[in-house]
Amino acid sequence: MQNFITLNQIDEAADAIKKRISIQPIVGIILGSGLNALADSVQNAVYIPYNEIPHFPVSTVEGHTGRFVIGDLEGKPVMVMQGRIHYYEGYSMQQVTLPIRVMQRMGVPNLIVTNAAGGVNPDYVPGDVMLITDQLNLVGMAGLNPLSGPNLDEIGTRFPDMSQPYDREYADLARKISKANGINLHEGIYTGLSGPSFESPADLRFLRMVGTDAVGMSTVPEVIVARHGNMRVLGISGISNKANLDGATFTTHEEVMESGKIITPKIEKIVRGVLREF
Ligand code: HPA
């Protein structure tokens, strides 16, 4: 039996956060592995560790600090997740996506989601960034959808449309900002797996065949829940490693964290530029 989360529990978490802040965030930002540094730029920041929020799962992975940083970025009120929760940590899909539910109950209408991903498209190299134009919900196809269980009718419908998981207007904005800053922004499809093991060469050949450009262990459930509640989403992957299609190299978490240092300034420029225009 999965651990479903009720609207009451979501509201208790949202209230605990609201009590500690005096601004109304207009965008939630999720920082992926190795991309934590972006939260350091938030001004007038209030820090709320996940373990001080009722019902909140706590991130256990190195490189995922596990707190909200709420304040101003480019003059816009933002709610940054410094560290996200992954399904492979042993939480239910509903727990993994609770932070998005909390944003929705707090009235946050936009989400910028970032992640570290393996480059399955052979043209990608570590350090590159990719605009996520669509996503492949392999975990969901296998039965693990964050919307399974009782529907939260107050937030969204039982069978939500997913024809546009990523907002086209925000995607255009990201393209424009990248161009203006000389950032080579790839565009592609992100496939979400459960992890925590990286993919075998056969996994990767399969993923490429079905249209994957980048693969990771997050994002897809969060975006489904965000869209269920009608948030507008911008998604950017940082390519932390080249997927090992021929079995000739290894993939390590250290490599993923290391590439974050090259990727962070690029993503920071894009996020700042987009925020300026919000
Ligand atoms: N595979 C899955 N998840 C990842 C990878 C990868 O190669 N790199 C960073 N997250």
Side-chain angles (χ1 to χ4, degrees):
M1 182 65 188
Q2 286 208 49
N3 193 357
F4 297 120
I5 290 183
T6 64
L7 198 62
N8 235 350
Q9 291 173 317
I10 298 168
D11 285 342
E12 280 171 12
D15 287 344
I17 296 170
K18 280 195 269 183
K19 269 194 202 118
R20 291 173 63 171
I21 60 173
S22 54
I23 57 168
Q24 169 62 52
I26 61 160
V27 51
I29 303 176
I30 307 181
L31 301 180
S33 301
L35 309 176
N36 276 331
L38 191 62
D40 300 338
S41 319
V42 175
Q43 291 174 318
N44 310 314
V46 174
Y47 300 94
I48 309 180
Y50 298 153
N51 63 8
E52 295 175 11
I53 305 171
H55 315 295
F56 241 66
V58 177
S59 145
T60 60
V61 195
E62 189 210 333
H64 288 264
T65 307
R67 62 182 183 181
F68 278 111
V69 183
I70 302 176
D72 300 314
L73 199 54
E74 293 296 326
K76 302 284 165 39
V78 298
M79 180 166 183
V80 181
M81 287 183 70
Q82 203 176 26
R84 62 146 63 81
I85 297 98
H86 298 83
Y87 180 73
Y88 61 73
E89 294 174 76
Y91 295 109
S92 72
M93 279 290 178
Q94 283 74 22
Q95 287 175 302
V96 167
T97 52
L98 175 62
I100 310 297
R101 290 303 191 202
V102 167
M103 288 175 194
Q104 289 167 338
R105 294 300 276 178
M106 290 176 63
V108 181
N110 302 295
L111 179 68
I112 300 178
V113 55
T114 69
N115 57 55
V120 179
N121 185 318
D123 296 340
Y124 296 0
V125 295
D128 282 355
V129 283
M130 182 192 92
L131 175 71
I132 308 176
T133 53
D134 202 351
Q135 64 183 21
L136 197 47
N137 182 15
L138 277 193
V139 177
M141 289 178 197
L144 265 176
N145 193 296
L147 303 182
S148 69
N151 185 51
L152 297 171
D153 296 326
E154 294 81 354
I155 298 181
T157 114
R158 170 78 287 187
F159 301 108
D161 173 67
M162 281 296 147
S163 60
Q164 201 182 141
Y166 296 90
D167 191 273
R168 290 180 194 154
E169 216 176 304
Y170 290 170
D172 273 344
L173 210 48
R175 290 182 184 106
K176 189 181 105 183
I177 307 287
S178 300
K179 202 164 172 209
N181 284 280
I183 296 168
N184 177 21
L185 183 67
H186 298 298
E187 299 194 11
I189 294 173
Y190 176 92
T191 296
L193 304 183
S194 70
S197 47
F198 289 114
E199 300 71 38
S200 71
D203 287 333
L204 290 164
R205 286 194 296 269
F206 166 78
L207 291 175
R208 185 62 192 147
M209 238 186 290
V210 295
T212 303
D213 294 295
V215 61
M217 306 173 190
S218 67
T219 302
V220 170
E222 294 154 346
V223 171
I224 289 172
V225 167
R227 292 301 297 144
H228 179 244
N230 219 22
M231 294 171 93
R232 297 177 67 182
V233 181
L234 171 68
I236 300 169
S237 286
I239 304 302
S240 55
N241 55 285
K242 233 173 148 53
N244 172 23
L245 273 83
D246 55 7
T249 54
F250 295 108
T251 303
T252 64
H253 185 57
E254 288 66 33
E255 185 183 4
V256 172
M257 299 302 291
E258 204 47 41
S259 308
K261 292 179 194 151
I262 306 170
I263 296 163
T264 300
K266 295 186 190 177
I267 292 192
E268 173 157 1
K269 277 203 187 91
I270 299 171
V271 169
R272 279 179 178 279
V274 168
L275 284 175
R276 267 198 301 275
E277 306 222 6
F278 258 3

